[in-house]
Amino acid sequence: MDVAAILHQLGVPLTEYAGSDLAVCSPIDGSQIASLRCHTQAEVQASMAQAAEAFTAWRDVPAPQRGTLVRLFGEALRVLKEPLARLVTMECGKILEEARGEVQEMIDMCDFAVGLSRQLYGLTIASERPEHSMQETWLPLGPIGVITAFNFPVAVWSWNAALALVCGDPVVWKPSEKTPLTALACQAIFAQACRRYPQTTGHTLPEGLLHVLRGGAEVGDWVVTDTRLPLISATGSCRMGRIIAPKVAARLGRSLLELGGNNAVVVSDQANLSVALPAILFGAVGTCGQRCTTIRRVIAHVGIYDELLQRLKTAYHRIATQHIGNPLDAGTLVGPLIDQAAFEAMQKALDAARQQGGSVFFGERVSAAAYPQAYYVTPALVQIPTQVAIVCTETFAPILYVMPYTSLDEAIAIHNAVPQGLASAIFTTDLHEAEQFKRRSDCGIVNVNIGTSGAEIGGAFGGEKDTGGGREAGSDAWKTYMRRHTSTTYYGTTPPALAQGIKFEVE
Ligand code: NAD
C-alpha cells in the first residue's frame, strides 16, 4: 500500500499539511498512513472570508462559463480515476470496484452539472394585471458549507460541489476526519482544473473557490455557525444532524441534511427470488454495510420466508468463506469496517438482537491474526419474529434483520415504523402491489425489483423523517444552491393597477 506514491500521483503536497493533530489510519490494516495538522479557527475564518470574496466575482461569471470549470474538473477526474479510487479504498476500506464506481459518480455528476449550467431555468408567469410581466429568476446563493461522512468520502462532496459551482457558489468543505486524504486529493485535482481554466476560456478565476478544512466536529462547528455561509449541506449520522440543524436554524440559515437510513425491502410471495436475492446481497453486504442506503431490513412474505432465509444463509456462508478480505484484492466483495468503534457497535447491536428475540447467524470478527489492528467481519443475518427496538436503529455495519409478514398492509406498516426514511424497495411481479408500495412507502427513494443502494445521479437523492429531508445530485436539487427572486415589471404608461383589484387612489 503505497499511499505516498498515490498522493504524489494525485498532486497532493502532503508535507504542507503534515502535523500531529490528526492521525489518518487505513481500515485495511489499521496502519497510520498520514498525520495532519488541523485548521485553526483563525485559518477557518480566513477561508470563509476568501470564499465570501470569491463569491462576489464568481456569481457574475456566466453560468455556462462556470460549467467549463466543472467540465475541466471532470476531465481531470477521468485521467486520475484509478489512483483516486485506490486512495478511496485505502482510506475508507470499500472494495476497489465500488471505489471506482464512486469516482465514476463524480465524473457523471460533473457531466450533469455542465449540462445544467445552460439550464438554470426560471419561469415566466402570467400576471393578473394588464401590461405587467412576471418572472422568476434563479441567482447564486453564496459560499456553501459542505460537511461529509467517511463512507462516501468523495462522491457526496461532488454532488454538492458540482452543483454549487455551476450555480455560482464557492465551496467550503469539511470532510470526515476519518477520510481527509481523499478530500485533499480532490482539492489537488480541482486545482489542476483551475490552472487550465484561463487557457481554456481566456478568463481568470477568483482565488478560493474551494476550501478543504482539516479537522473534526469542532472545525465542523465553525463552518455550521458561520453566517457567511447561507447554506450548510451536511451528510452524516442523525446524531450529527440533530446537533447542527438547530444551530443553522438559530442563525436563520438554510440546511440540506442527508442523514442516516434504515432501509428495508419487502419481498412478496409474488417476487422473482432470482431477481431479489442478488439485489439484497449487494445492498446488505456491499461496502461492508456502511452505506446510508444499505439494506438493513428484509420484510418477507410468510409464503417465501423460509426459502428466502435459507438462500440468504447459503449466500452469506459463501461470502463469509470466500469473499472477505483486503479490499484492494480482486475477488474481495466485503472489506473491513472503518474502525474498532464500528466493530464494537456491531457486536453491541447483535447482543441486543439476541436479547430481543433474534437468532444471529455469522457476524464474527475474522482475519484478526493477519490484521490485528483492522476489523474484518462476516456480515450478520438475524432472523427476528418482529420489528423490535434494535431493528429500528441504524447500526452502521453489515447486519440484516429478516422479518415475516402476511399482508401487504402489514408489510408497509412494518416498513414505515422506523424513524428514518431514506430508501426502500419491493420485490414483486404484481403490479398492484408495486404501485401500492410506491405510493405508501414513506421514503425519499422507492424502488421496484431493484435494491436500495446504488442510486443513479440523475434523480434527486435523499430521504424523509430522521434522514433529514434534503435532496442532492440530480433532478431539481440545484435549486437549493440558488436563491430565487420574483420580479414584476409594469410596462404601461398610465397609472398601474394594483394586485387583487385593490383601489388606492389619492385625489
Ligand atoms: P458522523 O455523523 O459521525 O460524521 C459526519 C460528518 O459530520 C463528519 O465530517 C464529522 O466531522 C461531522 N460532524 C460530526 N459532529 C459534528 C458537529 N457537532 N458539528 C459539525 N460537524 C460535525 O457520520 P459518519 O460516521 O462519518 O458517517 C456515517 C453516517 O452518515 C451514517 O449514519 C450514514 O447513514 C450517514 N450517511 C448519510 C448519507 C445520506 O446521503 N443520507 C450518505 C452517507 C452517509
Side-chain angles (χ1 to χ4, degrees):
M1 235 186 7
D2 195 349
V3 176
I6 289 199
L7 290 172
H8 179 72
Q9 194 180 353
L10 291 165
V12 179
L14 193 61
T15 46
E16 279 181 27
Y17 312 122
S20 54
D21 303 333
L22 182 60
V24 187
C25 295
S26 171
I28 296 179
D29 58 6
S31 64
Q32 185 171 314
I33 51 178
S35 182
L36 304 178
R37 196 177 68 76
C38 290
H39 276 85
T40 63
Q41 192 164 14
E43 287 169 329
V44 170
Q45 292 295 323
S47 291
M48 300 294 179
Q50 197 188 35
E53 182 64 27
F55 174 64
T56 61
W58 190 236
R59 67 183 172 194
D60 291 335
V61 174
Q65 229 182 79
R66 301 194 293 248
T68 300
L69 178 62
V70 175
R71 175 170 66 73
L72 295 172
F73 180 54
E75 284 172 10
L77 283 172
R78 280 180 167 85
V79 174
L80 293 168
K81 178 175 173 180
E82 190 60 23
L84 183 57
R86 292 188 88 80
L87 187 63
V88 166
T89 293
M90 289 169 179
E91 203 179 31
C92 84
K94 67 175 61 177
I95 61 170
L96 197 49
E97 184 66 12
E98 289 188 55
R100 290 186 183 117
E102 175 158 2
V103 180
Q104 186 57 47
E105 196 167 328
M106 300 174 78
I107 295 168
D108 296 344
M109 198 58 219
C110 288
D111 288 355
F112 179 87
V114 173
L116 187 66
S117 70
R118 292 181 183 271
Q119 300 174 79
L120 301 172
Y121 298 141
L123 291 175
T124 302
I125 300 164
S127 169
E128 67 190 40
R129 291 170 280 175
E131 299 187 301
H132 285 68
S133 69
M134 203 179 347
Q135 286 176 322
E136 220 176 63
T137 307
W138 292 92
L139 299 159
L141 184 65
I144 309 297
V146 179
I147 293 174
T148 53
F150 79 85
N151 65 321
F152 269 87
V154 290
V156 168
W157 164 73
S158 78
W159 296 351
N160 286 280
L163 293 186
L165 287 165
V166 299
C167 289
D169 308 328
V171 174
V172 179
W173 180 16
K174 210 301 282 170
S176 166
E177 57 275 36
K178 294 175 187 172
T179 54
L181 298 182
T182 42
L184 293 171
C186 291
Q187 185 179 36
I189 299 168
F190 184 72
Q192 266 192 34
C194 291
R195 284 194 293 275
R196 281 187 62 206
Y197 181 87
Q199 306 150 20
T200 311
T201 62
H203 301 287
T204 54
L205 270 184
E207 284 291 312
L209 284 177
L210 172 65
H211 296 263
V212 175
L213 303 178
R214 302 177 304 276
E218 187 186 30
V219 176
D221 191 59
W222 297 333
V223 172
V224 163
T225 49
D226 198 299
T227 51
R228 285 167 288 197
L229 305 177
L231 168 67
I232 299 296
S233 171
T235 300
S237 56
C238 298
R239 187 197 63 81
M240 178 274 286
R242 280 189 214 291
I243 295 171
I244 72 149
K247 292 188 180 180
V248 181
R251 63 174 177 85
L252 302 181
R254 194 188 285 182
S255 17
L256 191 174
L257 299 175
E258 296 279 353
L259 309 176
N262 189 354
N263 318 293
V265 299
V266 172
V267 184
S268 149
D269 56 347
Q270 303 301 308
N272 178 342
L273 293 188
S274 313
V275 170
L277 200 68
I280 293 172
L281 290 175
F282 174 64
V285 312
T287 333
C288 197
Q290 299 169 111
R291 283 195 189 215
C292 53
T293 51
T294 289
I295 299 175
R296 307 201 179 278
R297 301 177 291 145
V298 167
I299 306 162
H301 190 274
V302 284
I304 49 90
Y305 184 86
D306 289 340
E307 183 191 348
L308 181 67
L309 191 64
Q310 194 48 50
R311 287 174 71 171
L312 281 170
K313 278 185 197 165
T314 305
Y316 268 58
H317 177 72
R318 200 166 305 134
I319 289 164
T321 51
Q322 295 173 24
H323 295 297
I324 298 170
N326 188 322
L328 289 165
D329 294 344
T332 297
L333 296 180
V334 180
L337 288 167
I338 186 72
D339 55 18
Q340 184 175 1
F343 172 71
E344 284 165 4
M346 177 179 179
Q347 297 310 308
K348 207 169 145 203
L350 292 178
D351 286 345
R354 286 186 194 96
Q355 279 160 20
Q356 292 171 27
S359 306
V360 176
F361 304 94
F362 312 101
E364 312 89 21
R365 185 173 178 193
V366 290
S367 307
Y371 298 110
Q373 318 279 5
Y375 293 87
Y376 291 83
V377 290
T378 54
L381 198 56
V382 182
Q383 182 179 6
I384 198 141
T386 56
Q387 188 157 266
V388 292
I390 189 64
V391 183
C392 298
T393 58
E394 180 199 46
T395 304
F396 216 54
I399 302 176
L400 183 64
Y401 300 100
V402 188
M403 296 166 280
Y405 78 89
T406 47
S407 71
L408 186 64
D409 282 348
E410 184 194 0
I412 294 172
I414 295 169
H415 175 276
N416 290 347
V418 295
Q420 313 82 352
L422 181 51
S424 60
I426 188 167
F427 288 87
T428 182
T429 53
D430 181 314
L431 197 59
H432 174 76
E433 282 193 331
E435 288 300 321
Q436 283 284 96
F437 184 74
K438 275 160 70 177
R439 273 167 183 69
R440 290 166 55 199
S441 158
D442 60 5
C443 289
I445 296 168
V446 186
N447 294 336
V448 176
N449 295 325
I450 301 267
T452 56
S453 68
E456 297 180 22
I457 60 102
F461 182 92
E464 305 300 336
K465 305 194 295 183
D466 281 8
T467 303
R471 291 296 184 278
E472 287 179 348
S475 184
D476 64 352
W478 60 271
K479 290 179 176 173
T480 310
Y481 304 81
M482 302 200 86
R483 67 186 174 89
R484 166 184 10 201
H485 74 202
T486 303
S487 163
T488 309
T489 302
Y490 173 58
Y491 54 89
T493 52
T494 56
L498 293 174
Q500 294 88 42
I502 291 173
K503 298 277 180 240
F504 194 84
E505 284 162 6
V506 182
E507 292 301 319

